[in-house]
Amino acid sequence: MSTVMRAGAVVLALALLAAGGVLVYIAMIALRRSEGVFLPAGYVGVALLAGGAYLLRLAVRD
């Protein structure tokens, strides 16, 4: 993997982690207020966190 691709992957991974964190935070606040309509945002947030962590792992290793 070239340096430019690795840097792009790190930037994309950090963006995915940030977006996932925001969505999970919104879902946690909504669940605390018993507003279950925001629960799918939590699912998407967890998926974004998993994808960002996987992409960051691929970009950083080796």
Side-chain angles (χ1 to χ4, degrees):
M1 185 182 291
S2 72
T3 307
V4 174
M5 285 181 59
R6 188 176 306 254
V10 168
V11 169
L12 182 60
L14 292 176
L16 286 174
L17 289 172
V22 168
L23 285 177
V24 167
Y25 177 73
I26 288 170
M28 285 175 36
I29 297 239
L31 283 176
R32 194 175 74 180
R33 294 181 181 177
S34 298
E35 297 175 7
V37 71
F38 288 104
L39 193 59
Y43 296 144
V44 173
V46 169
L48 288 175
L49 287 175
Y54 180 71
L55 188 59
L56 189 62
R57 181 177 169 259
L58 284 179
V60 171
R61 74 172 191 172
D62 197 59

CSV table of all heavy atoms in Angstrom, one decimal:
chain,number,residue,atom,x,y,z
A,1,MET,N,0.9,-1.2,0.0
A,1,MET,CA,0.0,0.0,0.0
A,1,MET,C,0.9,1.2,0.0
A,1,MET,O,1.8,1.4,0.8
A,1,MET,CB,-0.9,0.0,1.2
A,1,MET,CG,-1.9,1.1,1.3
A,1,MET,SD,-3.0,1.2,2.7
A,1,MET,CE,-4.0,-0.3,2.5
A,2,SER,N,0.6,2.1,-0.9
A,2,SER,CA,1.5,3.3,-1.0
A,2,SER,C,1.2,4.3,0.2
A,2,SER,O,0.2,4.2,0.9
A,2,SER,CB,1.2,4.0,-2.3
A,2,SER,OG,-0.1,4.6,-2.3
A,3,THR,N,2.0,5.3,0.3
A,3,THR,CA,1.9,6.2,1.4
A,3,THR,C,0.7,7.1,1.3
A,3,THR,O,0.0,7.4,2.3
A,3,THR,CB,3.2,7.1,1.5
A,3,THR,OG1,4.3,6.3,1.5
A,3,THR,CG2,3.1,8.0,2.7
A,4,VAL,N,0.3,7.4,0.0
A,4,VAL,CA,-0.8,8.3,-0.2
A,4,VAL,C,-2.1,7.5,0.1
A,4,VAL,O,-3.0,8.0,0.8
A,4,VAL,CB,-0.9,8.8,-1.7
A,4,VAL,CG1,-2.1,9.5,-2.0
A,4,VAL,CG2,0.4,9.7,-1.9
A,5,MET,N,-2.2,6.2,-0.3
A,5,MET,CA,-3.3,5.4,0.0
A,5,MET,C,-3.5,5.2,1.5
A,5,MET,O,-4.6,5.2,2.1
A,5,MET,CB,-3.2,4.1,-0.7
A,5,MET,CG,-3.5,4.2,-2.2
A,5,MET,SD,-3.4,2.6,-3.0
A,5,MET,CE,-4.7,1.7,-2.2
A,6,ARG,N,-2.3,5.0,2.2
A,6,ARG,CA,-2.3,4.7,3.6
A,6,ARG,C,-2.9,6.0,4.4
A,6,ARG,O,-3.7,5.9,5.3
A,6,ARG,CB,-1.0,4.4,4.1
A,6,ARG,CG,-0.9,3.9,5.5
A,6,ARG,CD,0.5,3.5,5.9
A,6,ARG,NE,1.0,2.5,4.9
A,6,ARG,CZ,1.1,1.2,5.2
A,6,ARG,NH1,0.8,0.8,6.4
A,6,ARG,NH2,1.6,0.3,4.4
A,7,ALA,N,-2.4,7.1,3.9
A,7,ALA,CA,-2.8,8.4,4.6
A,7,ALA,C,-4.3,8.6,4.3
A,7,ALA,O,-5.1,9.0,5.2
A,7,ALA,CB,-2.0,9.6,4.0
A,8,GLY,N,-4.8,8.3,3.1
A,8,GLY,CA,-6.2,8.5,2.8
A,8,GLY,C,-7.1,7.5,3.6
A,8,GLY,O,-8.1,7.8,4.1
A,9,ALA,N,-6.5,6.3,3.8
A,9,ALA,CA,-7.3,5.3,4.6
A,9,ALA,C,-7.4,5.7,6.1
A,9,ALA,O,-8.4,5.6,6.7
A,9,ALA,CB,-6.6,3.9,4.5
A,10,VAL,N,-6.3,6.3,6.6
A,10,VAL,CA,-6.3,6.8,8.0
A,10,VAL,C,-7.3,8.0,8.1
A,10,VAL,O,-8.1,8.0,9.1
A,10,VAL,CB,-4.9,7.2,8.4
A,10,VAL,CG1,-4.9,8.0,9.7
A,10,VAL,CG2,-4.0,6.0,8.5
A,11,VAL,N,-7.3,8.9,7.2
A,11,VAL,CA,-8.3,10.0,7.2
A,11,VAL,C,-9.7,9.5,7.1
A,11,VAL,O,-10.6,9.9,7.9
A,11,VAL,CB,-8.0,11.0,6.1
A,11,VAL,CG1,-9.1,12.0,6.0
A,11,VAL,CG2,-6.6,11.7,6.4
A,12,LEU,N,-10.0,8.6,6.2
A,12,LEU,CA,-11.3,8.0,6.1
A,12,LEU,C,-11.7,7.2,7.4
A,12,LEU,O,-12.9,7.3,7.8
A,12,LEU,CB,-11.4,7.1,4.9
A,12,LEU,CG,-12.7,6.4,4.6
A,12,LEU,CD1,-13.8,7.5,4.4
A,12,LEU,CD2,-12.6,5.5,3.4
A,13,ALA,N,-10.8,6.5,7.9
A,13,ALA,CA,-11.1,5.7,9.2
A,13,ALA,C,-11.4,6.7,10.3
A,13,ALA,O,-12.4,6.4,11.1
A,13,ALA,CB,-9.9,4.9,9.6
A,14,LEU,N,-10.7,7.8,10.4
A,14,LEU,CA,-11.0,8.8,11.5
A,14,LEU,C,-12.3,9.4,11.3
A,14,LEU,O,-13.1,9.7,12.2
A,14,LEU,CB,-9.9,9.8,11.6
A,14,LEU,CG,-8.5,9.3,12.1
A,14,LEU,CD1,-7.5,10.4,12.0
A,14,LEU,CD2,-8.6,8.7,13.4
A,15,ALA,N,-12.7,9.7,10.0
A,15,ALA,CA,-14.0,10.2,9.7
A,15,ALA,C,-15.1,9.3,10.1
A,15,ALA,O,-16.1,9.7,10.7
A,15,ALA,CB,-14.1,10.6,8.3
A,16,LEU,N,-14.9,8.0,9.8
A,16,LEU,CA,-15.9,7.0,10.1
A,16,LEU,C,-16.1,6.9,11.7
A,16,LEU,O,-17.2,6.7,12.2
A,16,LEU,CB,-15.5,5.6,9.5
A,16,LEU,CG,-15.7,5.5,8.0
A,16,LEU,CD1,-15.2,4.1,7.6
A,16,LEU,CD2,-17.2,5.6,7.7
A,17,LEU,N,-14.9,6.9,12.4
A,17,LEU,CA,-15.0,6.8,13.8
A,17,LEU,C,-15.7,8.0,14.4
A,17,LEU,O,-16.5,7.8,15.4
A,17,LEU,CB,-13.6,6.7,14.4
A,17,LEU,CG,-12.9,5.3,14.1
A,17,LEU,CD1,-11.4,5.4,14.5
A,17,LEU,CD2,-13.6,4.2,14.8
A,18,ALA,N,-15.4,9.2,13.9
A,18,ALA,CA,-16.1,10.4,14.4
A,18,ALA,C,-17.6,10.3,14.2
A,18,ALA,O,-18.4,10.6,15.1
A,18,ALA,CB,-15.5,11.6,13.8
A,19,ALA,N,-18.0,10.0,13.0
A,19,ALA,CA,-19.4,9.9,12.6
A,19,ALA,C,-20.1,8.8,13.5
A,19,ALA,O,-21.2,9.1,14.0
A,19,ALA,CB,-19.6,9.7,11.1
A,20,GLY,N,-19.5,7.7,13.6
A,20,GLY,CA,-20.0,6.6,14.4
A,20,GLY,C,-20.2,7.0,15.9
A,20,GLY,O,-21.2,6.7,16.5
A,21,GLY,N,-19.2,7.7,16.4
A,21,GLY,CA,-19.2,8.2,17.8
A,21,GLY,C,-20.4,9.2,18.0
A,21,GLY,O,-21.1,9.1,19.0
A,22,VAL,N,-20.6,10.1,17.1
A,22,VAL,CA,-21.7,11.0,17.2
A,22,VAL,C,-23.0,10.3,17.2
A,22,VAL,O,-23.9,10.6,18.0
A,22,VAL,CB,-21.6,12.1,16.1
A,22,VAL,CG1,-22.9,12.9,16.0
A,22,VAL,CG2,-20.4,13.0,16.3
A,23,LEU,N,-23.2,9.4,16.3
A,23,LEU,CA,-24.5,8.6,16.2
A,23,LEU,C,-24.7,7.8,17.4
A,23,LEU,O,-25.9,7.7,17.9
A,23,LEU,CB,-24.5,7.8,14.9
A,23,LEU,CG,-24.7,8.5,13.6
A,23,LEU,CD1,-24.7,7.6,12.4
A,23,LEU,CD2,-26.0,9.3,13.6
A,24,VAL,N,-23.7,7.2,17.9
A,24,VAL,CA,-23.9,6.4,19.1
A,24,VAL,C,-24.2,7.3,20.3
A,24,VAL,O,-25.1,6.9,21.2
A,24,VAL,CB,-22.6,5.5,19.4
A,24,VAL,CG1,-22.7,4.9,20.8
A,24,VAL,CG2,-22.5,4.4,18.4
A,25,TYR,N,-23.6,8.4,20.4
A,25,TYR,CA,-23.9,9.4,21.4
A,25,TYR,C,-25.4,9.8,21.4
A,25,TYR,O,-26.1,9.9,22.4
A,25,TYR,CB,-23.0,10.6,21.3
A,25,TYR,CG,-23.2,11.7,22.3
A,25,TYR,CD1,-22.9,11.5,23.7
A,25,TYR,CD2,-23.8,12.9,22.0
A,25,TYR,CE1,-23.2,12.5,24.6
A,25,TYR,CE2,-24.1,13.9,22.9
A,25,TYR,CZ,-23.7,13.7,24.2
A,25,TYR,OH,-24.0,14.6,25.1
A,26,ILE,N,-25.8,10.1,20.2
A,26,ILE,CA,-27.2,10.6,20.0
A,26,ILE,C,-28.2,9.4,20.4
A,26,ILE,O,-29.2,9.7,21.1
A,26,ILE,CB,-27.5,11.0,18.5
A,26,ILE,CG1,-26.8,12.3,18.2
A,26,ILE,CG2,-29.0,11.1,18.2
A,26,ILE,CD1,-26.8,12.7,16.8
A,27,ALA,N,-27.9,8.2,20.0
A,27,ALA,CA,-28.7,7.1,20.4
A,27,ALA,C,-28.7,6.8,21.9
A,27,ALA,O,-29.8,6.5,22.5
A,27,ALA,CB,-28.2,5.8,19.6
A,28,MET,N,-27.6,7.0,22.5
A,28,MET,CA,-27.5,6.8,24.0
A,28,MET,C,-28.4,7.9,24.7
A,28,MET,O,-29.1,7.5,25.7
A,28,MET,CB,-26.1,6.9,24.5
A,28,MET,CG,-25.3,5.6,24.2
A,28,MET,SD,-23.5,5.7,24.6
A,28,MET,CE,-23.5,6.6,26.1
A,29,ILE,N,-28.3,9.1,24.3
A,29,ILE,CA,-29.1,10.1,24.9
A,29,ILE,C,-30.6,9.9,24.7
A,29,ILE,O,-31.4,10.0,25.6
A,29,ILE,CB,-28.7,11.5,24.4
A,29,ILE,CG1,-27.3,11.8,24.7
A,29,ILE,CG2,-29.7,12.6,24.8
A,29,ILE,CD1,-27.0,13.0,25.5
A,30,ALA,N,-31.0,9.4,23.5
A,30,ALA,CA,-32.4,9.2,23.1
A,30,ALA,C,-32.9,8.0,24.0
A,30,ALA,O,-34.0,8.0,24.4
A,30,ALA,CB,-32.5,8.9,21.7
A,31,LEU,N,-32.1,7.0,24.1
A,31,LEU,CA,-32.5,5.8,24.9
A,31,LEU,C,-32.7,6.2,26.4
A,31,LEU,O,-33.6,5.7,27.1
A,31,LEU,CB,-31.5,4.7,24.8
A,31,LEU,CG,-31.6,3.9,23.5
A,31,LEU,CD1,-30.5,2.8,23.5
A,31,LEU,CD2,-32.9,3.2,23.4
A,32,ARG,N,-31.8,7.1,26.9
A,32,ARG,CA,-32.0,7.5,28.3
A,32,ARG,C,-33.3,8.3,28.5
A,32,ARG,O,-33.9,8.3,29.5
A,32,ARG,CB,-30.8,8.4,28.6
A,32,ARG,CG,-30.7,8.6,30.1
A,32,ARG,CD,-29.4,9.4,30.5
A,32,ARG,NE,-29.7,10.8,30.1
A,32,ARG,CZ,-28.8,11.8,30.2
A,32,ARG,NH1,-27.6,11.5,30.7
A,32,ARG,NH2,-29.0,13.0,29.9
A,33,ARG,N,-33.7,9.0,27.4
A,33,ARG,CA,-35.0,9.7,27.5
A,33,ARG,C,-36.2,8.8,27.0
A,33,ARG,O,-37.3,9.4,26.8
A,33,ARG,CB,-34.9,10.9,26.6
A,33,ARG,CG,-33.9,11.9,27.1
A,33,ARG,CD,-33.9,13.1,26.2
A,33,ARG,NE,-32.9,14.1,26.6
A,33,ARG,CZ,-32.7,15.2,26.0
A,33,ARG,NH1,-33.3,15.5,24.9
A,33,ARG,NH2,-31.8,16.1,26.5
A,34,SER,N,-36.0,7.6,26.8
A,34,SER,CA,-37.0,6.6,26.4
A,34,SER,C,-37.6,7.0,25.0
A,34,SER,O,-38.8,6.8,24.8
A,34,SER,CB,-38.1,6.5,27.4
A,34,SER,OG,-37.6,6.0,28.6
A,35,GLU,N,-36.8,7.4,24.1
A,35,GLU,CA,-37.2,7.7,22.7
A,35,GLU,C,-36.6,6.7,21.8
A,35,GLU,O,-35.5,6.9,21.3
A,35,GLU,CB,-36.7,9.1,22.3
A,35,GLU,CG,-37.4,10.2,23.2
A,35,GLU,CD,-36.8,11.6,22.8
A,35,GLU,OE1,-36.0,11.7,21.8
A,35,GLU,OE2,-37.1,12.6,23.5
A,36,GLY,N,-37.2,5.6,21.7
A,36,GLY,CA,-36.7,4.4,21.0
A,36,GLY,C,-36.6,4.6,19.5
A,36,GLY,O,-36.0,3.8,18.8
A,37,VAL,N,-37.2,5.7,19.0
A,37,VAL,CA,-37.1,5.9,17.5
A,37,VAL,C,-35.7,6.2,17.0
A,37,VAL,O,-35.5,6.0,15.8
A,37,VAL,CB,-38.1,7.1,17.2
A,37,VAL,CG1,-37.5,8.4,17.6
A,37,VAL,CG2,-38.4,7.2,15.7
A,38,PHE,N,-34.8,6.6,17.9
A,38,PHE,CA,-33.4,6.8,17.5
A,38,PHE,C,-32.5,5.6,17.6
A,38,PHE,O,-31.3,5.7,17.4
A,38,PHE,CB,-32.8,8.0,18.3
A,38,PHE,CG,-33.4,9.3,17.9
A,38,PHE,CD1,-34.3,9.9,18.8
A,38,PHE,CD2,-33.0,10.0,16.8
A,38,PHE,CE1,-34.8,11.2,18.4
A,38,PHE,CE2,-33.5,11.2,16.5
A,38,PHE,CZ,-34.4,11.8,17.3
A,39,LEU,N,-33.1,4.5,17.9
A,39,LEU,CA,-32.3,3.2,18.1
A,39,LEU,C,-31.6,2.8,16.8
A,39,LEU,O,-30.5,2.4,16.8
A,39,LEU,CB,-33.2,2.1,18.6
A,39,LEU,CG,-32.5,0.9,19.1
A,39,LEU,CD1,-31.6,1.2,20.2
A,39,LEU,CD2,-33.5,-0.2,19.5
A,40,PRO,N,-32.2,3.0,15.6
A,40,PRO,CA,-31.5,2.6,14.4
A,40,PRO,C,-30.2,3.5,14.2
A,40,PRO,O,-29.3,3.0,13.6
A,40,PRO,CB,-32.5,2.9,13.2
A,40,PRO,CG,-33.8,2.6,13.9
A,40,PRO,CD,-33.6,3.2,15.3
A,41,ALA,N,-30.2,4.7,14.7
A,41,ALA,CA,-29.0,5.5,14.6
A,41,ALA,C,-27.9,4.9,15.4
A,41,ALA,O,-26.7,4.9,15.0
A,41,ALA,CB,-29.3,6.9,15.2
A,42,GLY,N,-28.2,4.2,16.5
A,42,GLY,CA,-27.2,3.5,17.3
A,42,GLY,C,-26.6,2.3,16.5
A,42,GLY,O,-25.4,2.1,16.5
A,43,TYR,N,-27.5,1.6,15.8
A,43,TYR,CA,-27.0,0.5,15.0
A,43,TYR,C,-26.1,1.0,13.9
A,43,TYR,O,-25.0,0.4,13.6
A,43,TYR,CB,-28.2,-0.3,14.3
A,43,TYR,CG,-29.1,-1.0,15.3
A,43,TYR,CD1,-30.5,-1.0,15.0
A,43,TYR,CD2,-28.6,-1.5,16.4
A,43,TYR,CE1,-31.3,-1.6,15.9
A,43,TYR,CE2,-29.5,-2.2,17.3
A,43,TYR,CZ,-30.8,-2.2,17.1
A,43,TYR,OH,-31.7,-2.8,17.9
A,44,VAL,N,-26.4,2.0,13.2
A,44,VAL,CA,-25.6,2.6,12.1
A,44,VAL,C,-24.3,3.1,12.8
A,44,VAL,O,-23.2,2.9,12.2
A,44,VAL,CB,-26.3,3.7,11.4
A,44,VAL,CG1,-25.4,4.4,10.4
A,44,VAL,CG2,-27.5,3.1,10.6
A,45,GLY,N,-24.4,3.7,13.9
A,45,GLY,CA,-23.2,4.2,14.6
A,45,GLY,C,-22.2,3.1,15.0
A,45,GLY,O,-21.0,3.2,14.8
A,46,VAL,N,-22.7,2.0,15.5
A,46,VAL,CA,-21.9,0.8,15.8
A,46,VAL,C,-21.2,0.3,14.5
A,46,VAL,O,-20.1,-0.1,14.5
A,46,VAL,CB,-22.7,-0.2,16.6
A,46,VAL,CG1,-21.9,-1.5,16.7
A,46,VAL,CG2,-23.1,0.3,17.9
A,47,ALA,N,-22.0,0.2,13.4
A,47,ALA,CA,-21.4,-0.3,12.2
A,47,ALA,C,-20.3,0.7,11.7
A,47,ALA,O,-19.3,0.2,11.2
A,47,ALA,CB,-22.5,-0.4,11.1
A,48,LEU,N,-20.5,2.0,11.8
A,48,LEU,CA,-19.5,2.9,11.4
A,48,LEU,C,-18.2,2.8,12.3
A,48,LEU,O,-17.1,2.9,11.8
A,48,LEU,CB,-20.0,4.3,11.5
A,48,LEU,CG,-21.0,4.7,10.4
A,48,LEU,CD1,-21.5,6.1,10.6
A,48,LEU,CD2,-20.4,4.7,9.0
A,49,LEU,N,-18.4,2.6,13.6
A,49,LEU,CA,-17.3,2.4,14.5
A,49,LEU,C,-16.5,1.2,14.1
A,49,LEU,O,-15.3,1.2,14.1
A,49,LEU,CB,-17.8,2.3,15.9
A,49,LEU,CG,-18.2,3.7,16.6
A,49,LEU,CD1,-18.8,3.4,18.0
A,49,LEU,CD2,-17.1,4.7,16.6
A,50,ALA,N,-17.2,0.1,13.8
A,50,ALA,CA,-16.6,-1.2,13.5
A,50,ALA,C,-15.8,-1.0,12.1
A,50,ALA,O,-14.7,-1.5,12.0
A,50,ALA,CB,-17.6,-2.3,13.4
A,51,GLY,N,-16.4,-0.4,11.2
A,51,GLY,CA,-15.8,-0.2,9.9
A,51,GLY,C,-14.5,0.8,10.0
A,51,GLY,O,-13.5,0.5,9.4
A,52,GLY,N,-14.7,1.8,10.8
A,52,GLY,CA,-13.5,2.7,11.0
A,52,GLY,C,-12.4,2.0,11.7
A,52,GLY,O,-11.2,2.2,11.4
A,53,ALA,N,-12.7,1.2,12.7
A,53,ALA,CA,-11.7,0.5,13.5
A,53,ALA,C,-10.9,-0.5,12.5
A,53,ALA,O,-9.7,-0.6,12.6
A,53,ALA,CB,-12.3,-0.2,14.7
A,54,TYR,N,-11.7,-1.2,11.7
A,54,TYR,CA,-11.1,-2.2,10.8
A,54,TYR,C,-10.2,-1.5,9.8
A,54,TYR,O,-9.1,-1.9,9.5
A,54,TYR,CB,-12.2,-3.0,10.1
A,54,TYR,CG,-11.7,-4.0,9.1
A,54,TYR,CD1,-11.1,-5.1,9.6
A,54,TYR,CD2,-11.8,-3.8,7.8
A,54,TYR,CE1,-10.6,-6.1,8.7
A,54,TYR,CE2,-11.4,-4.7,6.9
A,54,TYR,CZ,-10.7,-5.8,7.3
A,54,TYR,OH,-10.2,-6.8,6.4
A,55,LEU,N,-10.7,-0.4,9.2
A,55,LEU,CA,-9.9,0.4,8.2
A,55,LEU,C,-8.7,1.0,8.8
A,55,LEU,O,-7.6,0.9,8.2
A,55,LEU,CB,-10.8,1.5,7.6
A,55,LEU,CG,-10.2,2.2,6.4
A,55,LEU,CD1,-9.9,1.2,5.3
A,55,LEU,CD2,-11.2,3.3,5.9
A,56,LEU,N,-8.8,1.5,10.0
A,56,LEU,CA,-7.6,2.0,10.7
A,56,LEU,C,-6.6,0.9,11.0
A,56,LEU,O,-5.4,1.1,10.9
A,56,LEU,CB,-8.0,2.7,12.0
A,56,LEU,CG,-7.0,3.5,12.8
A,56,LEU,CD1,-6.5,4.6,11.9
A,56,LEU,CD2,-7.5,4.0,14.1
A,57,ARG,N,-7.1,-0.3,11.4
A,57,ARG,CA,-6.2,-1.4,11.6
A,57,ARG,C,-5.5,-1.8,10.3
A,57,ARG,O,-4.3,-2.1,10.4
A,57,ARG,CB,-7.0,-2.6,12.2
A,57,ARG,CG,-6.2,-3.8,12.5
A,57,ARG,CD,-7.1,-4.9,13.0
A,57,ARG,NE,-6.3,-6.1,13.1
A,57,ARG,CZ,-6.5,-7.1,12.2
A,57,ARG,NH1,-7.3,-7.0,11.3
A,57,ARG,NH2,-5.7,-8.2,12.3
A,58,LEU,N,-6.2,-1.8,9.2
A,58,LEU,CA,-5.5,-2.2,8.0
A,58,LEU,C,-4.5,-1.1,7.5
A,58,LEU,O,-3.5,-1.4,7.0
A,58,LEU,CB,-6.6,-2.3,6.8
A,58,LEU,CG,-7.4,-3.5,6.8
A,58,LEU,CD1,-8.4,-3.5,5.7
A,58,LEU,CD2,-6.6,-4.8,6.7
A,59,ALA,N,-4.8,0.2,7.8
A,59,ALA,CA,-3.9,1.2,7.4
A,59,ALA,C,-2.7,1.3,8.2
A,59,ALA,O,-1.6,1.6,7.7
A,59,ALA,CB,-4.7,2.6,7.4
A,60,VAL,N,-2.8,1.0,9.5
A,60,VAL,CA,-1.7,1.2,10.4
A,60,VAL,C,-0.7,0.0,10.4
A,60,VAL,O,0.5,0.1,10.5
A,60,VAL,CB,-2.2,1.5,11.8
A,60,VAL,CG1,-1.0,1.4,12.8
A,60,VAL,CG2,-2.9,2.8,11.9
A,61,ARG,N,-1.3,-1.2,10.3
A,61,ARG,CA,-0.4,-2.4,10.4
A,61,ARG,C,0.5,-2.5,9.1
A,61,ARG,O,0.2,-2.1,8.0
A,61,ARG,CB,-1.2,-3.7,10.6
A,61,ARG,CG,-1.9,-4.1,9.4
A,61,ARG,CD,-2.5,-5.5,9.6
A,61,ARG,NE,-2.9,-5.9,8.3
A,61,ARG,CZ,-3.3,-7.1,8.0
A,61,ARG,NH1,-3.4,-8.0,8.9
A,61,ARG,NH2,-3.7,-7.4,6.8
A,62,ASP,N,1.6,-3.1,9.4
A,62,ASP,CA,2.7,-3.4,8.3
A,62,ASP,C,3.1,-2.2,7.7
A,62,ASP,O,3.0,-1.4,7.0
A,62,ASP,CB,2.2,-4.4,7.4
A,62,ASP,CG,3.4,-5.0,6.6
A,62,ASP,OD1,4.3,-5.5,7.3
A,62,ASP,OD2,3.4,-4.9,5.4
